[in-house]
Amino acid sequence: VIRCRAAVAWAVGKPLSVEEVEVAPPKAGEVRVKIVATGICHTDDHVLKGGFPDVEFPVIPGHEGAGIVESIGEGVTSVKPGDKVIPLGIPQCRECTFCLNPESNYCLKSHLSEPQNLLPDKTSRFTCKGKQIHHFLWVSTFAEYTVIPEYAIAKIDAAAPLDKVCLLGCGFSTGYGAAINTAKVKAGSTCAVFGLGGVGLSVVMGCKAAGASRIIAVDINKGKFAKAKELGATDCISPHDFKKPIQEVLTEMTGHGVDYSFEVIGHADTMTAALASCNMNTGICVMVGVVASGSMISVDPMLLLCGRTWKGTLLGGWKTRDSIPKLVSSYLEKKFNSDLLITHTLPIAKVNEGFELLRAGKSIRSVLLF
């Protein structure tokens, strides 16, 4: 058993508490990882606010991390102690019907198919003050040591800087992949990106990498426009500056609507606006944002009847164990610069400060270091 620090969420709506926790050794098929760095993602904020009804408290959140394998359980073959790894919020068991489908990046071991409050054997490896602490998405990267099933871990290049590539565990990969894999943005096309947080700005980078000729960034926080332009946005607009609905503004700016639109906020009304802002026949709208549980969207069927495509994306469409190591290699080859998304680096003791920066719209990505 290892004693270490972790940021524990004891109850909905309460600040995180940095505690000493005990982390049990890995069982068969499991890996214990020393987390070196972890990003703060909006999804973690959803957890703290109770936006995930199937998350049980107390819990150790965090899912955008990078670390080093400390020990392995019986039967683990893909990683060994000392390997650098990225934990995966979407596993890849390589055996289920989804994993065997080359066009799918879902896995039946994912949290959308089975709860991940405990490890697959329905027990926890975390205890604190004599109480069992729940896992989050099987990764719980806000703990200095965490235990994860082997199929939710990707081994990465030993040269990778863990305090930078942790973003590839969720935010960057999700946004960049939404443009490259899910929308399959074509060169010369027009794009609109709703929401300029870390994931939205990663969508902007993906659209630029795909050769889009016009990338219109949409946000009510104008403080994010300079960063959006630095990363490839050609236009930046705020819905607050117009009397008419933003979809009408985008349609007028582009003639018939954009070729691709992305909703990276997680609000029902912006999802319908994003759908209406892409062209009526060949437009593709991708949902990237996570909506609050229980949200419903009402849509005029004519928006889809004319030929538009409305899609969702999970972690940017990447088959995680296969693709995340390749993305890390692309990072090392300087094919993209995800470092530009990191605005703050904080010690784990300042985790709540990191969430305050996020909620105030003052950070793009804060990285916590152990």
Side-chain angles (χ1 to χ4, degrees):
V1 173
I2 289 178
R3 282 188 172 76
C4 66
R5 289 168 300 161
V8 178
W10 288 102
V12 172
K14 294 275 183 0
L16 286 157
S17 176
V18 177
E19 307 273 8
E20 184 182 79
V21 298
E22 290 92 44
V23 185
K27 295 185 184 178
E30 298 174 355
V31 180
R32 188 159 60 182
V33 177
K34 178 179 172 45
I35 298 291
V36 172
T38 180
I40 296 178
C41 175
H42 252 113
T43 307
D44 299 309
D45 198 34
H46 274 302
V47 172
L48 300 182
K49 289 175 177 168
F52 277 82
D54 50 352
V55 169
E56 289 184 45
F57 289 78
V59 62
I60 297 173
H63 64 285
E64 193 179 82
I68 298 164
V69 175
E70 178 270 334
S71 58
I72 58 174
E74 189 187 331
V76 171
T77 57
S78 62
V79 295
K80 63 184 187 304
D83 284 347
K84 285 187 177 178
V85 292
I86 288 180
L88 307 168
I90 301 288
Q92 185 187 352
C93 73
R94 296 180 171 150
E95 292 170 357
C96 71
T97 51
F98 285 96
C99 283
L100 295 174
N101 178 347
E103 293 182 7
S104 158
N105 81 314
Y106 187 63
C107 173
L108 284 173
K109 301 237 183 273
S110 166
H111 59 99
L112 296 165
S113 290
E114 64 174 273
Q116 300 194 353
N117 301 313
L118 299 168
L119 289 182
D121 72 349
K122 304 302 176 215
T123 62
S124 171
R125 302 290 165 272
F126 297 126
T127 46
C128 180
K129 299 176 180 172
K131 287 187 180 159
Q132 170 182 281
I133 308 293
H134 292 92
H135 293 250
F136 175 59
L137 298 183
W138 288 339
V139 291
S140 293
T141 59
F142 288 179
E144 192 172 4
Y145 286 86
T146 184
V147 178
I148 307 168
E150 181 182 15
Y151 43 68
I153 282 192
K155 179 183 171 181
I156 60 168
D157 194 305
L162 299 177
D163 60 332
K164 302 290 192 279
V165 299
C166 57
L167 268 57
L168 276 58
C170 176
F172 176 78
S173 302
T174 297
Y176 194 76
I180 303 280
N181 300 327
T182 310
K184 296 184 168 57
V185 170
K186 293 191 176 87
S189 62
T190 55
C191 302
V193 182
F194 288 70
L196 301 176
V199 182
L201 290 170
S202 301
V203 174
V204 170
M205 293 169 81
C207 293
K208 185 184 180 189
S213 63
R214 195 169 184 194
I215 302 166
I216 306 168
V218 184
D219 203 304
I220 55 174
N221 181 351
K222 293 184 178 180
K224 295 188 172 177
F225 288 177
K227 180 69 81 172
K229 289 202 161 165
E230 180 190 351
L231 296 175
T234 54
D235 310 71
C236 294
I237 59 174
S238 166
H240 288 173
D241 290 344
F242 302 92
K243 296 259 191 315
K244 60 180 75 164
I246 197 70
Q247 56 265 40
E248 290 179 25
V249 175
L250 288 161
T251 301
E252 284 172 16
M253 286 174 75
T254 53
H256 298 287
V258 293
D259 297 306
Y260 306 94
S261 62
F262 302 85
E263 202 279 359
V264 206
I265 304 164
H267 289 319
D269 52 355
T270 40
M271 285 191 174
T272 47
L275 179 66
S277 68
C278 66
N279 95 58
M280 65 188 288
N281 181 231
T282 58
I284 293 174
C285 176
V286 181
M287 271 189 218
V288 192
V290 178
V291 288
S293 64
S295 300
M296 300 300 284
I297 301 178
S298 59
V299 177
D300 177 354
M302 286 304 292
L303 283 173
L304 293 166
L305 190 67
C306 298
R308 279 184 182 90
T309 303
W310 204 5
K311 328 175 66 161
T313 187
L314 267 179
L315 227 154
W318 305 102
K319 273 191 182 289
T320 50
R321 286 169 80 196
D322 296 342
S323 303
I324 300 299
K326 291 175 187 166
L327 272 175
V328 170
S329 299
S330 296
Y331 167 87
L332 292 170
E333 289 159 16
K334 295 188 166 46
K335 290 184 178 168
F336 54 78
N337 186 5
S338 48
D339 296 1
L340 295 169
L341 300 170
I342 300 172
T343 51
H344 299 78
T345 303
L346 303 166
I348 188 67
K350 293 191 175 177
V351 60
N352 289 311
E353 202 174 298
F355 276 95
E356 289 310 315
L357 289 164
L358 177 79
R359 291 165 192 151
K362 291 179 179 170
S363 66
I364 300 298
R365 261 305 184 267
S366 294
V367 173
L368 301 169
L369 301 178
F370 281 98

